[in-house]
């Protein structure tokens, strides 16, 4: 493949001496192509690496014929992703890319030259991952990372076409969404009442917010109104709370940080139900509402669920429980999507609301109305059919 930005050629009659030619801007008058030549002594591989270095310093990218997939990912693609943190990519997303590259891509196919990666290479690689016991969802994520990296290589003119086009992503079966029913919902709130995780569980079930949003909440993000006692208990006005979702707390390994929500719709203002407002009012304070890192919250939740002898449900599925119960209570998908911070209601329906039998009951009742009683008067057509059978 001819270099689009530069070339390396051996100087005739001089062993170990190479001419590195780098393309410059065209002449502003004649529009002819212009070049800058460099003399390099060493091996051809060293000369090509020097060309890559020159092009990198100039802000260009060289489609080196000898660069391996691992070299491209480690030296070009990952630094590029790091540079986009905060302007299109989240740090947790980039860390996920790095993990998939280090664990599933480089050890298996990283030794191949970038230009030698083919459709067959990719399809064989994905099939081998699944056969080796890698979870299909993990394999699918690794596949999407590789595909994005290869598309970026095309954009940088490092390869002529994307070899992942036409390949097949690992098939991921739709996982069953675990949600609590109404009795379990109330039983969990009762069980965690007065415990260290009462606030966290109440926020997750009462508002359906993400774990990162639970950990990112500060008391200054909550407007509380005190309860008002009246002469008669039934006239009492309960505490009220308005919750502003402004940031999330994220963690990778031992490092944690705060960042704004990942989309504009994730910036939202939520009104807490009365039971949650009461919990917030009693626990009101200064600083973080839940003073735990995300991983600390996850481990504490696992421990307390076991200690309280409650049916297991992952912490992340408390959000799904909230969405599903609100759907069963009559809220439409658009309202649930807006409340949850989803860009579209399609995401809410597909990933956060589990179809429940209670939704099927009205449909089944309508079907039942189509069935006539067994002892109904027979019609003339029925009599003709019966006569024909005799």
């Amino acid at each position: 493949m001819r270099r689009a930005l530069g070339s390396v050629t051996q100087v005739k009659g001089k062993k170990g001496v190479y001419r590195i030619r780098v393309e410059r801007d065209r002449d502003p008058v004649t529009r002819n192509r212009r070049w800058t030549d460099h003399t390099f002594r060493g091996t051809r591989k060293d000369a090509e690496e020097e060309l890559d270095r020159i092009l990198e310093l100039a802000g260009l990218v060289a489609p080196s014929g000898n660069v391996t997939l691992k070299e491209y990912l480690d030296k070009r693609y990952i630094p590029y992703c790091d540079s986009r943190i905060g302007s299109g990519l989240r740090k947790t997303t980039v860390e996920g890319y790095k993990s998939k590259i280090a664990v599933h891509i480089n050890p298996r196919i990283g030794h191949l030259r970038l230009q030698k990666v083919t459709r067959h290479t990719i399809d064989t690689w994905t099939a081998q991952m699944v056969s080796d016991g890698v979870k299909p969802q993990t394999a699918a994520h690794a596949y999407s990372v590789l595909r994005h990296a290869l598309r970026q290589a095309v954009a940088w003119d490092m390869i002529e076409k994307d070899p992942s086009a036409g390949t097949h992503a690992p098939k991921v079966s739709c996982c069953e969404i675990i949600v609590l029913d109404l009795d379990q919902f109330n039983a969990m709130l009762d069980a965690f009442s007065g415990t260290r995780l009462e606030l966290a569980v109440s926020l997750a079930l009462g508002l359906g917010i993400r774990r990162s949003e639970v950990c990112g909440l500060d008391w200054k993000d909550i407007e509380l109104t005190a309860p008002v006692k009246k002469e008669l208990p039934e006239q009492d006005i309960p505490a009220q709370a308005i919750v502003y979702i402004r940031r999330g707390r994220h963690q990778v390994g031992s490092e944690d940080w705060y960042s704004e929500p990942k989309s504009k719709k994730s910036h939202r203002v939520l009104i807490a139900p009365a039971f949650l407002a009461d919990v917030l009012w009693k626990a009101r304070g200064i600083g973080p509402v839940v003073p735990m890192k995300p991983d600390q919250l996850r481990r504490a939740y696992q421990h307390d669920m076991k200690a309280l002898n409650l049916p297991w449900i992952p912490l992340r599925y408390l959000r799904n429980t909230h969405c599903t119960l609100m759907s069963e209570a009559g809220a439409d998908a658009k309202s649930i999507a807006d409340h949850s911070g989803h860009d579209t209601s399609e995401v809410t329906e597909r990933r956060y609301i589990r179809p429940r039998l209670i939704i099927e009951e009205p449909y089944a009742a309508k079907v039942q109305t189509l069935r006539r009683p067994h002892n109904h008067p027979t019609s003339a057509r029925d009599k003709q059919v019966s006569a024909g059978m005799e």
Side-chain angles (χ1 to χ4, degrees):
M1 177 180 175
R2 188 181 74 84
R3 290 179 178 272
L5 303 173
S7 63
V8 174
T9 56
Q10 184 174 359
V11 177
K12 190 174 181 180
K14 293 186 178 181
K15 186 177 180 180
V17 180
Y18 296 88
R19 182 181 65 181
I20 299 176
R21 172 167 284 190
V22 179
E23 183 177 2
R24 297 164 52 197
D25 295 336
R26 291 181 178 269
D27 187 282
V29 178
T30 64
R31 303 304 299 166
N32 291 332
R33 300 175 73 179
R34 298 189 299 179
W35 304 87
T36 298
D37 290 339
H38 304 266
T39 300
F40 182 85
R41 297 180 184 277
T43 65
R44 175 175 285 276
K45 183 178 180 180
D46 291 339
E48 290 177 343
E49 290 179 354
E50 177 64 14
L51 171 58
D52 292 346
R53 189 188 68 81
I54 294 172
L55 292 173
E56 284 182 337
L57 290 175
L60 304 171
V61 178
S64 173
N66 291 330
V67 66
T68 64
L69 177 61
K70 182 179 186 303
E71 291 171 341
Y72 162 66
L73 293 173
D74 292 346
K75 297 180 180 179
R76 304 284 176 80
Y77 181 69
I78 289 178
Y80 164 73
C81 292
D82 282 334
S83 69
R84 292 193 59 208
I85 293 177
S87 59
L89 288 176
R90 298 171 66 87
K91 187 171 183 178
T92 49
T93 301
V94 175
E95 292 298 327
Y97 288 178
K98 292 178 181 179
S99 174
K100 297 302 180 292
I101 289 171
V103 177
H104 299 292
I105 300 178
N106 282 344
R108 294 176 182 270
I109 56 175
H111 63 283
L112 299 175
R113 288 170 54 191
L114 178 60
Q115 295 179 16
K116 295 296 183 180
V117 176
T118 63
R119 294 179 183 177
H120 179 264
T121 302
I122 297 172
D123 281 335
T124 303
W125 164 68
T126 54
Q128 189 63 47
M129 275 196 296
V130 175
S131 66
D132 288 347
V134 178
K135 292 181 179 180
Q137 189 169 2
T138 301
H141 189 192
Y143 169 84
S144 66
V145 172
L146 177 62
R147 190 165 190 187
H148 184 268
L150 292 173
R151 287 176 176 174
Q152 191 60 51
V154 173
W156 286 335
D157 294 325
M158 298 187 71
I159 51 178
E160 292 181 343
K161 59 182 181 180
D162 176 15
S164 69
T167 57
H168 301 89
K171 187 175 181 180
V172 180
S173 58
C174 183
C175 60
E176 176 69 14
I177 298 176
I178 304 173
V179 298
L180 303 174
D181 60 27
L182 192 56
D183 291 335
Q184 293 171 327
F185 169 87
N186 284 281
M188 175 171 278
L189 289 172
D190 291 340
F192 276 95
S193 178
T195 69
R196 59 176 177 169
L197 295 186
E198 179 181 18
L199 269 173
V201 171
S202 298
L203 284 165
L205 288 174
L207 293 179
I209 59 179
R210 304 173 177 92
R211 180 182 64 169
S212 61
E213 294 170 342
V214 170
C215 295
L217 268 182
D218 195 280
W219 283 108
K220 64 185 179 182
D221 299 323
I222 302 175
E223 290 184 7
L224 288 170
T225 302
V228 179
K229 294 289 185 179
K230 298 290 186 177
E231 293 182 1
L232 298 177
E234 58 270 19
Q235 296 177 340
D236 288 350
I237 301 176
Q240 299 177 28
I242 299 176
V243 180
Y244 294 83
I245 306 299
R246 296 183 173 122
R247 63 178 185 170
R249 188 176 185 180
H250 307 273
Q251 183 175 2
V252 175
S254 60
E255 181 184 2
D256 72 294
W257 65 93
Y258 291 91
S259 66
E260 292 189 359
K262 59 184 180 181
S263 67
K264 288 184 178 180
K265 284 208 168 184
S266 291
H267 286 267
R268 54 203 193 279
V269 181
L270 308 177
I271 298 177
F275 76 84
L276 175 57
D278 182 61
V279 172
L280 291 169
W281 174 257
K282 292 177 180 178
R284 64 192 183 278
I286 299 174
V289 177
V290 179
M292 291 184 179
K293 295 180 180 180
D295 282 356
Q296 290 176 327
L297 174 58
R298 175 180 55 80
R299 290 193 296 267
Y301 173 81
Q302 291 174 344
H303 176 273
D304 289 7
M305 284 288 287
K306 186 176 181 179
L308 294 170
N309 198 28
L310 291 171
W312 173 249
I313 176 174
L315 179 60
R316 67 180 180 276
Y317 284 141
L318 300 188
R319 177 170 165 83
N320 298 76
T321 292
H322 174 90
C323 294
T324 297
L325 291 180
M326 287 309 300
S327 176
E328 293 179 357
D332 61 272
K334 178 66 168 57
S335 298
I336 299 173
D338 291 342
H339 177 92
S340 302
H342 296 150
D343 288 334
T344 65
S345 58
E346 179 185 356
V347 174
T348 308
E349 293 176 311
R350 178 165 50 88
R351 298 184 59 185
Y352 288 89
I353 298 179
R354 191 183 79 172
R356 303 293 295 273
L357 293 179
I358 191 172
I359 300 176
E360 283 292 306
E361 290 176 0
Y363 189 90
K366 291 182 183 297
V367 176
Q368 179 59 30
T369 63
L370 305 178
R371 178 71 167 94
R372 293 178 297 188
H374 183 66
N375 58 353
H376 70 282
T378 57
S379 63
R381 179 175 176 78
D382 293 335
K383 292 180 179 179
Q384 293 177 1
V385 173
S386 299
M389 293 178 64
E390 293 176 357

